[in-house]
Amino acid sequence: MEEIRKKTIKGIKIRSLNLIMLSVSCILYILLICTTIQSMRRYDNMVSTTNQHIACEEIISLVANGSNYLTEQVRLYTMTFDTKHLDNYFTEAYTTRRRDTALEKLKEYHTDGSVYAYLSSALENSNQLMEHEIYAMKLISTAQKQDTAALHENIQNMALQTADQNLSAEEMTEKARDLVFGPDYQAAKADIMDDIDYFVDSVIEHTQQNQTESSLVLKRSLVRQQVLISILFVENLIIFFLIIRLIINPLQVYVKNIKEDKRLEFVGSYEFKYLALTYNNIFELNAANELSLRHQAEHDPLTGLINRGAFEHLRQLFAAKQSPLAFLIVDVDKFKQVNDGYGHEMGDRALQKVAHLLEDSFRSTDFPARIGGDEFAVILTDLTANPKDLVLSKINAINRTLQNPSDDLPALSLSVGGAYSEVGFTDDLYKKADAALYQVKENGRCRFYDEASDHIE
């Protein structure tokens, strides 16, 4: 039966709830970590794109500055005829090589072929323009009759066209200047700058597109993070609420029940309800055992009446109460003869019969007790007057029953001494009742102690 009751217990199991909450938390934390990693990657991508844009601007600057530097040096040479400008020109073209360095760096930052093609085209056009610049420098060096051996090999190897060989020094100088300052040269420089501008526009477009995509993904990741954090916060609130409802509140209730010595209420989780059921079973068993032990401690095992110890406790209780009561001492006449003549078993049955008659004859508010071997006592409470006449009639009725037995027990009689008190169980009440009993001993009668004349009636 107990096992059936335990199986029918319903409630949330803390272990199951803990596993569920732990699983949900792990999933949420994993998702949060994945989202955070994604956000970090997008952030790194945005930083990388920005750095790439900055690098591309540096590359553009290298190409433009390199190309413009060459133009500047060749023009200065055509105007001043100073060969140091030739040295600067070829140092930039073949040693410093800012334009070529820019393309090499571009390969590190860009994989977009179309973007790379714009800068390659600008460099190719710049290289083609170098042919005109070197030819112009050849014309100037020839017109100035400079030492050819001291010039750069590119100038040495550059051959003048047949028509230009017959030009005068002034004409050669004029043509050289026209080659680096004329409209064709300016158009070629414009084409180079257009390619650079296209490259700049492509880089800016690529950067903006990449940053837009990264920012959108980063924004979505941040939104997911906010959602996951909110869910974790709500989950923590739910866990906090469940802990209070399923654990803390039941513990408080159980502590209160235990302090008040009550059965535990069925509250909280499955485990607490199971605990309450087990505790209540033990509580009921202990209560039953305590009641049984108390009954055994307070009652005579033979007759079932209260024993001497309980009787003494009642004396003290009614002594403090100071309300009207009567006290009877009841003695079974010639009980020793019955016990010796018929045996102890018959004597025990006789005592049980007397106890039964005393218990049936008096009220539930009265207290019959066995205070010795064949000696009984009765405390009568809730009295308004001396009950000696009523007690006499009851004892006479009991004696008639005992003297005319309907069973196999021998005829018996009771001698009763009584005393009445209006102020509770006084110290001399027992003596007065005992004195009254002494006067009627072995006569099967009942007498009360008379307070007014200080004698027995």
Side-chain angles (χ1 to χ4, degrees), residues 82 96 144 355-356 445 447:
D82 190 349
T96 307
Q144 297 297 319
H356 179 70
R445 293 177 296 169
R447 291 291 184 269

Side-chain angles (χ1 to χ4, degrees), residues 53-68 98 102 106 119 193 195-204:
H53 180 73
I54 295 172
C56 288
E57 289 182 348
E58 294 177 355
I59 290 171
I60 293 168
S61 177
L62 286 175
V63 173
N65 291 338
S67 179
N68 291 334
R98 281 185 281 184
L106 182 64
L119 203 59
M193 296 309 299
D195 286 336
I196 293 176
D197 289 339
Y198 288 142
F199 172 77
V200 171
D201 293 340
S202 298
V203 168
I204 292 174

Side-chain angles (χ1 to χ4, degrees), residues 71-87 89 133-134 136-142 144 146 151 155 177:
T71 299
E72 177 185 356
Q73 295 303 314
V74 71
R75 284 178 175 178
L76 287 173
Y77 178 66
T78 60
M79 298 300 295
T80 64
F81 314 125
D82 190 349
T83 57
K84 71 177 182 179
H85 297 296
L86 292 180
D87 296 335
Y89 181 92
E133 293 170 344
I134 293 173
M137 288 185 285
K138 178 69 174 182
L139 289 172
I140 295 297
S141 63
T142 302
Q144 297 297 319
Q146 294 174 349
L151 299 177
I155 296 178
R177 290 174 178 173

